[in-house]
Amino acid sequence: MTIASFHSSPLPNREPNVRISDAPLPTRARSGPSWLRPAVVERLMMTADGVLIMACGIGCTVIYHLLSVGAVGNIDVYASASLLVAINFGLLVTVQHGYGLKTITNLPRSWRITLTTWTGVFASLLAIAFTMKVSDEFSRGTTISFYLFGLVTLSFWKIAAARWTTRSLRAGAFANSKAVVIAECGLPASSAAMMELRQHGHRIVRTIEIRAKDLGSPLLMSQIGPSFDDLISYARENKIEHIFLLMNWSRQHAIDSILDGLKILPIPVHLVPDSNVSHFLRYPLVNAGNTLTAELRRAPLSWKERALKRVLDAGGAAVALVIFAPIMLIAALLIKCTSPGPVFFRQTRNGFSGRAFLIYKFRTMRVFEDGLTVVQATRNDPRVTAIGKWLRKTSIDELPQIFNVLKGDMSLVGPRPHAAAHNSEYEQIIGNYAFRHHVKPGITGWAQINGYRGETRALELMEKRVEHDLWYINNWSLALDIRIIALTAVRGFRQSQSY
């Protein structure tokens, strides 16, 4: 049997059964210090959070007392409280996997965990202090300063940590866990999984590639036996910690044979998802008895989730109505004074489960299209009135949908409802379009804050909007709704052109 090594020289004419490379493909990642492993980095991040929290607590105490009474006073109580906050914060973030490398580099998720945990810890400890009647020992000014300054400090620290961790992952700084890859010929060079392994702690010191036709042979182990013996010896001598199998999952016989041959080694063996399976493993994994399933499409919201969403909708819509009432009154007067016709425009839209409802908007056009034929509004549309252009530009024309939310036809956040005529058309040409009706339509949504709003001149734009809507439905949470509302408020409607 011929064993060839990957160097600069070309492969021989006769293709070998096994090809061995002592350098990972396509490039070799440079590892960091031997102690720099993901688990160590996670502990360091937790320790850094604790030190920052302690520093903020003691610093705020000293500064506030110097400014208010001119003396530092006894800071033992505040130091103890800061330590208690640091311990609880670190433990709660750990439970949420907030110190994992994947979470650290995902800045929005890291911020969200920080905000909710920091606020929750303060609220809980203040409630306990009040119940035990020891709250009088703490200055309100110091407590508020500690909360605000600590939150700001942690937020900036998360930014720095995310940038450093991202750069380190790309450089392979955490790749200190020695690993061997056994793969089907040609897969390592084209597999994204290889780069993921290197970036998340694994240093691939040897790659063994087996020809596809040999993997399908019932005599696989007899054909690669000498190479396999060399692998076992190599693994023992070099203290290999992991072995990864990178091949098509349909090659069950080959996988079982290789796994049986590796049983002599006390090393974990991992089967890397192939290109077909990895697409589905991006979805949430759910236990169905003893069977693990990928939830390709989640069920509609449960009654508890619908109740939480309804509380947010009713409360938010009531507050919005109070805030925007003067603007809506002015808009109604301008519409009435500048063009003939009613103030409100009503049109049939499809809501939850495809049920029809009448959506309310301020009238911005001279026409009242509804039914089977509706022409979508475009920029500089001659049907739009003079005041209507301003209302559409600022999205003030959408404000009457607050009444739809209060009625229960719509939600504050959800897929934007389209005219019934457009709805029927898109259901025929865009796959999974009807899945948008698994939740109530919204005034704003995940697609809108990501730039897919207004006129859709090309089918590709509508497909991207639907893609974002489906992601929202499959990943819904109350925190996500609050985030979308906050982003909508921050970004405003200044770049919008409603339809």
Side-chain angles (χ1 to χ4, degrees):
M1 182 180 300
T2 303
I3 300 178
S5 297
F6 276 118
H7 297 293
S8 57
S9 58
L11 292 173
N13 293 331
R14 182 177 179 272
E15 184 183 7
N17 297 87
V18 177
R19 300 190 299 188
I20 301 176
S21 171
D22 288 329
L25 301 172
T27 57
R28 184 166 188 160
R30 292 184 299 175
S31 61
S34 58
W35 57 267
L36 191 59
R37 295 170 179 264
V40 175
V41 174
E42 292 170 14
R43 296 189 191 101
L44 289 175
M45 292 293 179
M46 182 178 179
T47 303
D49 278 1
V51 172
L52 284 175
I53 292 170
M54 288 289 295
C56 289
I58 296 173
C60 288
T61 301
V62 172
I63 294 172
Y64 185 81
H65 278 76
L66 285 174
L67 294 176
S68 59
V69 299
V72 175
N74 186 4
I75 64 171
D76 291 346
V77 174
Y78 292 96
S80 300
S82 300
L83 179 60
L84 191 60
V85 170
I87 292 173
N88 280 276
F89 180 82
L91 291 175
L92 289 173
V93 172
T94 301
V95 169
Q96 301 174 77
H97 307 288
Y99 294 118
L101 297 182
K102 187 175 182 180
T103 302
I104 293 172
T105 55
N106 185 347
L107 198 53
R109 174 170 166 74
S110 181
W111 270 343
R112 189 162 59 251
I113 291 175
T114 300
L115 174 61
T116 55
T117 306
W118 185 250
T119 304
V121 167
F122 263 80
S124 300
L125 293 180
L126 286 175
I128 293 172
F130 180 79
T131 304
M132 298 178 66
K133 298 182 179 180
V134 295
S135 57
D136 292 340
E137 298 183 24
F138 299 94
S139 164
R140 283 176 291 180
T142 303
T143 303
I144 295 173
S145 300
F146 182 20
Y147 172 80
L148 295 176
F149 187 69
L151 183 59
V152 172
T153 302
L154 285 171
S155 297
F156 279 107
W157 159 238
K158 296 302 179 184
I159 295 175
R163 290 180 177 177
W164 175 79
T165 307
T166 300
R167 286 197 298 267
S168 299
L169 286 172
R170 289 173 180 170
F174 306 136
N176 291 308
S177 178
K178 293 182 179 179
V180 168
V181 171
I182 302 176
E184 186 173 334
C185 270
L187 286 185
S190 61
S191 174
M194 293 288 284
M195 185 62 69
E196 289 285 332
L197 293 176
R198 295 188 197 102
Q199 289 185 352
H200 289 83
H202 300 288
R203 180 157 58 98
I204 303 172
V205 295
R206 176 161 290 191
T207 303
I208 299 176
E209 295 185 81
I210 306 173
R211 294 184 303 181
K213 66 178 183 180
D214 290 327
L215 285 173
S217 170
L219 303 176
L220 171 65
M221 295 309 294
S222 62
Q223 293 172 331
I224 65 172
S227 299
F228 224 75
D229 293 338
D230 291 342
L231 168 63
I232 292 173
S233 300
Y234 179 86
R236 287 170 173 164
E237 294 170 3
N238 293 273
K239 298 180 180 180
I240 300 300
E241 300 173 60
H242 298 272
I243 295 178
F244 293 91
L245 305 185
L246 181 60
M247 55 191 66
N248 194 301
W249 279 24
S250 63
R251 302 190 184 280
Q252 183 176 347
H253 172 74
I255 294 171
D256 289 338
S257 299
I258 293 173
L259 193 61
D260 187 62
L262 293 172
K263 65 184 178 183
I264 194 172
L265 291 174
I267 300 174
V269 181
H270 311 269
L271 180 61
V272 179
D274 62 22
S275 57
N276 296 321
V277 175
S278 60
H279 170 73
F280 299 107
L281 292 184
R282 293 199 301 260
Y283 294 93
L285 299 180
V286 179
N287 286 319
N290 294 324
T291 302
L292 193 65
T293 66
E295 190 178 50
L296 305 183
R297 179 173 297 164
R298 65 161 288 170
L301 304 185
S302 67
W303 70 268
K304 291 181 180 179
E305 292 173 325
R306 292 197 301 271
L308 285 173
K309 192 170 175 65
R310 183 57 186 158
V311 169
L312 177 64
D313 289 340
V319 171
L321 187 59
V322 173
I323 295 174
F324 293 113
I327 298 176
M328 294 173 68
L329 180 60
I330 294 172
L333 291 173
L334 289 175
I335 293 171
K336 199 66 178 175
C337 295
T338 56
S339 62
V343 170
F344 295 108
F345 167 67
R346 298 187 301 172
Q347 190 179 63
T348 302
R349 302 284 171 102
N350 294 99
F352 178 69
S353 194
R355 289 194 291 266
F357 71 97
L358 289 177
I359 194 172
Y360 297 107
K361 301 176 69 172
F362 281 125
R363 182 176 58 84
T364 59
M365 289 186 174
R366 300 179 179 86
V367 296
F368 304 89
E369 293 179 342
D370 198 0
L372 298 178
T373 304
V374 176
V375 180
Q376 190 180 50
T378 59
R379 197 175 296 275
N380 300 320
D381 196 314
R383 299 172 298 169
V384 179
T385 63
I387 192 64
K389 292 180 180 179
W390 175 72
L391 293 175
R392 299 175 73 87
K393 185 68 175 177
T394 58
S395 284
I396 291 176
D397 65 319
E398 307 283 0
L399 290 179
Q401 290 164 38
I402 294 173
F403 297 115
N404 286 114
V405 175
L406 291 173
K407 286 178 60 180
D409 293 329
M410 293 179 63
S411 174
L412 291 176
V413 181
R416 287 291 296 148
H418 302 139
H422 298 154
N423 214 59
S424 301
E425 176 185 353
Y426 289 130
E427 283 182 352
Q428 302 298 321
I429 57 179
I430 298 180
N432 290 328
Y433 180 89
F435 188 53
R436 299 170 78 251
H437 300 310
H438 274 225
V439 297
K440 290 181 182 178
I443 297 178
T444 185
W446 183 244
Q448 282 63 47
I449 64 169
N450 281 282
Y452 297 101
R453 58 181 297 117
E455 180 186 356
T456 50
R457 299 183 179 182
L459 179 62
E460 292 76 14
L461 292 176
M462 181 58 73
E463 289 176 338
K464 293 298 293 184
R465 179 185 292 181
V466 171
E467 179 183 328
H468 281 74
D469 289 338
L470 300 188
W471 183 92
Y472 166 79
I473 295 171
N474 281 317
N475 295 275
W476 180 88
S477 68
L478 197 64
L480 180 60
D481 271 7
I482 295 173
R483 177 187 174 192
I484 293 173
I485 292 171
L487 288 174
T488 301
V490 170
R491 297 176 184 178
F493 297 98
R494 57 185 177 274
Q495 296 179 342
S496 68
Q497 176 73 29
S498 58
Y499 53 91

